Structure formats: C-alpha cells, structure tokens
Amino acid sequence: MERRSTASERIAVFFVVLVIATFSALLLPQELRPGRSANVANGRAVYDGGCIVCHGADGKGAPETSAGFRRPGTFPDFTSCDQTTPEPDANWKAVIVHGGPHRGFSPIMPAFGQLLADRDIDDVIAYLRGFCANNTRRHWPRGELNLPRAIVTEKAFPEDELVVTTAANASGAPGYETHFIHEQSFGPFDQIEIDAPWILQDQNHSYASHVGDMTFGLKHVLFSSLRTGSIFALQGGILPPTGSTKLGGNGTTVFEPFAAFDQLFPTNTWVQLQMGADLPRHPKITPQSLFGNIAVGQTIAGDHRLGRQWSPMVEFVAARDLQDGAKTDWDVLPEMQVTLSPRQHIRANVGVRTPFTDTAGRSPQVEFYVLWDWADGKFWEGW
Ligand code: HEC
C-alpha cells in the first residue's frame, strides 16, 4: 500500500537531514582543543613543586605518614584510568583553582588559583593525565564526551548513574510513567542498563498502576575521540513483558538494538543521535517499529566554564510502526538540564513534549528527571 506522507512529515524529515548534514560538515575539520597545546614538562615542574608532597611521585598519593593527613575516601589515584578518564579537565581545574571545598571535597586540597598562572594549571592537568596509561589506540572514552543527558535520546557514553524520570500527561486523563534507571560501566567500553518503569493511570476515574516492561541493556563503545569530540556506541536491549497490556505493556518480549552517536563542538554545542528498532518476538501482538531521536543543545557555565552548568536543548523524537499505512509519530521536546550540587553529580532536567504529527490520542507531556552520578560521590556529599 502506498501512502503519501503529510507535509509536516516531509518538513520534519527535511529538517533532520539538514541538521545531520550541517553537523557532519562541521565535524570534518574540527579540533576540539585548538590553540596552545599543553607543556607537559612545565606541568611536571609544577607538580614536583606544589603537588607531589600530597599526591606522591607516582600519582597514587604520598604515604600518609609523610603527607600528614588521613586520606578522604574520594582521594584520587591518578594512575587508575577508571577513576580519572570519566573526569573532564574542567572538574579537576575547578578543584585546583578554587580548592577542594568548592566541589564539596576535603579542605586539605588547597586552592591554587592565586599561586599559579592559568596555563600552569592547564599544564599540570596535562601532566596528571599521563599517570593513566591511556595511550593505546583503543582507549577509555574521556569524560568531556559524557554530554548532558537528554530526556529521551540515549547517549553513547558508558555511565555510572541512577536516574528517576517521570512523564506526566499535560492534558486528557491523568497518567504518569516513572522509570528507575540504573546504569553501570565496566571496563573501558561497556555498560549495563536496567530500567524498571512504574505506570499510574486514571482509567474511568479510578487509578490503575503496574510495573511496565523492564529493559535490560548492554552498551558497547566502538569509537571515541577527544580530539574530534565524537563517540559512537551500540546497545542491545531486551524487554521481557513484565508490564500489564492494559497499561501499555507489549505483551511479548521485545528486542531493542540501537546505535548512538554524540558530537561535541569547541563552542560547547553538541548533538546526540540515537537510531534503533523495537523487534517483538511475536509481531502479531505488537508491531515492529523503528525510532530515531536527536538532541541538540548547548552547555553554558560561568567562571570560565568551571561553574554551574545550564544545558538548554531540544529533542526531536520520531517513531514509526513497520505496518502498512502506519504514520510516523513526531514529537518535539524543548528542555533544560542544570547541575544541582556543586560537585555536579546531581542534575535535574525538565521539559515539555509535544506531538506534532499523528496527534490523535497522544497528549502533550511534562517530563523531568533527577540524576545521580554515583561514581562521583554519595548523594548527600559534594554539596
Ligand atoms: C596539602 C595536600 C595537597 C596538595 C599540596 C595538593 N593536593 Fe590535590 N588533593 C589533596 C586531597 C586530600 C585531595 C582529595 C580531596 C577529597 O577527595 O576530598 C586532593 C584532590 C585533588 C584532585 C581531585 C579532584 C577530583 O575531582 O577528584 C585533583 C585534580 C588535585 N588534587 C590536584 C592537585 C594539584 C594539581 C596539586 C598541585 C598544584 C595538588 N592537588 C596539591 C591534597 C593536596
């Protein structure tokens, strides 16, 4: 069966192609960090002069007897790549410039902003980076590529975080869908994801609630480059039919593969792309479908990018059943993420999702989440 696409669908597709083409064109010549390259020899001199007494010649920490303090639980071991690569340079720089308490760390870590020139601090960070032998071709992805989480679009970076995210109907019958998402990385490239949804719906003026279809996912990073600002990952997911079909459950096991590509630009603008499919075991119960999501945003932070981060973004969310005569559902979701804790490991995001094609029976939704990056400290630490 042939179906003519509607004007708004064609505009949407045109827009998506335009965005992808523009960003790929921008990507080719870019270097994430142009300008002066760090002077590691100077960084070493700074380290030997001001840091070695506490952090030790090997970067693991000077013996407690000679350093003269008890190590806090979060004391860094700069040789351990799994601790250091997820930290963007800006996190370290904020601590070195303003001292430990600025990011909710121990006051034993002094502030060097008055003692060292800006370039000395950049140089010593470059020297710190050398403690983790991350120079193989297949290296740990760097924390700079861990872009602000969008509400719908899944990112490529392997995370250690807990997210509670809720979508509430903004019109029509009240309905809430809350997801408890646990993400945990292991090794340089991999991450598991467990997503447990809870659904609460007003059905003819009485509330019905049930767990939804859970997701168990495995993500693998295939490529990442700090120089070009890009990261690419694949994820395979399985959704057993744990949900109630009366409340939107699939009623059959669904396999969900997707690809995610994220691109950061020197201006702190970024784009996140996710494309995948939902492939049910019994397509007669639930049809197969394709989805594609894009998030485009900008991160803004005062104090030379060391302060609180605000990330306004807009998502374009598309899904289409693989059936004759099926329509593509397009939604637009402007939103704002902000870091709540000074350590920036607790973040919140709020947005409004509006359907703009195939709108019958699909209500606008208010969506928000709270995120805890638990690798950076306990929930109540770092304030
Ligand atoms: C007087 C001891 C002392 C000196 C000197 C010192 N540090 Fe620290 N530094 C610490 C302690 C203690 C911590 C851990 C704080 C915590 O986890 O609460 C720390 C933490 C850090 C961190 C980790 C921040 C994070 O995100 O985990 C960095 C980076 C750092 N120091 C860099 C430096 C550099 C660079 C110098 C020299 C310019 C330096 N430190 C000098 C004691 C010191």
Side-chain angles (χ1 to χ4, degrees), residues 308-329:
R308 168 163 292 153
Q309 291 177 7
W310 298 86
S311 302
M313 59 184 113
V314 58
E315 286 185 80
F316 302 91
V317 176
R320 181 186 186 129
D321 288 346
L322 290 176
Q323 269 179 333
D324 283 345
K327 291 198 177 126
T328 306
D329 293 349

Side-chain angles (χ1 to χ4, degrees), residues 50-51 54-55 69 72 74-76 78 92 96 105-106 108-110 112:
C51 323
C54 298
H55 289 289
F69 60 85
T74 42
F75 187 77
F78 291 117
W92 283 357
I96 299 168
F105 288 114
S106 158
I108 304 167
M109 170 63 201
F112 289 91

Side-chain angles (χ1 to χ4, degrees), residues 46-47 50-55 67 69-76 78 87 91-93 95-96 100 104-110 112 116 124-125 128 343 376:
V46 172
Y47 188 83
C51 323
I52 204 167
V53 278
C54 298
H55 289 289
F69 60 85
R70 283 203 56 199
R71 287 181 194 168
T74 42
F75 187 77
F78 291 117
E87 295 294 339
N91 281 6
W92 283 357
K93 192 164 181 175
V95 171
I96 299 168
F105 288 114
S106 158
I108 304 167
M109 170 63 201
F112 289 91
L116 296 173
V124 77
I125 291 174
L128 292 179
R343 193 171 295 175
D376 267 349

Side-chain angles (χ1 to χ4, degrees), residues 196-226:
W198 181 254
I199 294 159
L200 181 66
Q201 253 175 34
D202 182 333
Q203 293 188 327
N204 302 322
H205 306 292
S206 82
Y207 271 101
S209 73
H210 203 279
V211 285
D213 290 341
M214 292 183 68
T215 306
F216 299 92
L218 182 65
K219 186 193 280 176
H220 183 75
V221 176
L222 289 172
F223 169 82
S224 80
S225 163
L226 183 62

Side-chain angles (χ1 to χ4, degrees), residues 16 29 35-36 55 61 77 107 140 142 153 167 183 188 209 217 227 269 314 327 367:
V16 170
R36 167 184 177 273
H55 289 289
D77 171 355
W140 297 70
R142 268 285 291 277
T153 310
E183 291 173 332
S209 73
R227 192 181 61 79
T269 311
V314 58
K327 291 198 177 126
E367 306 207 5

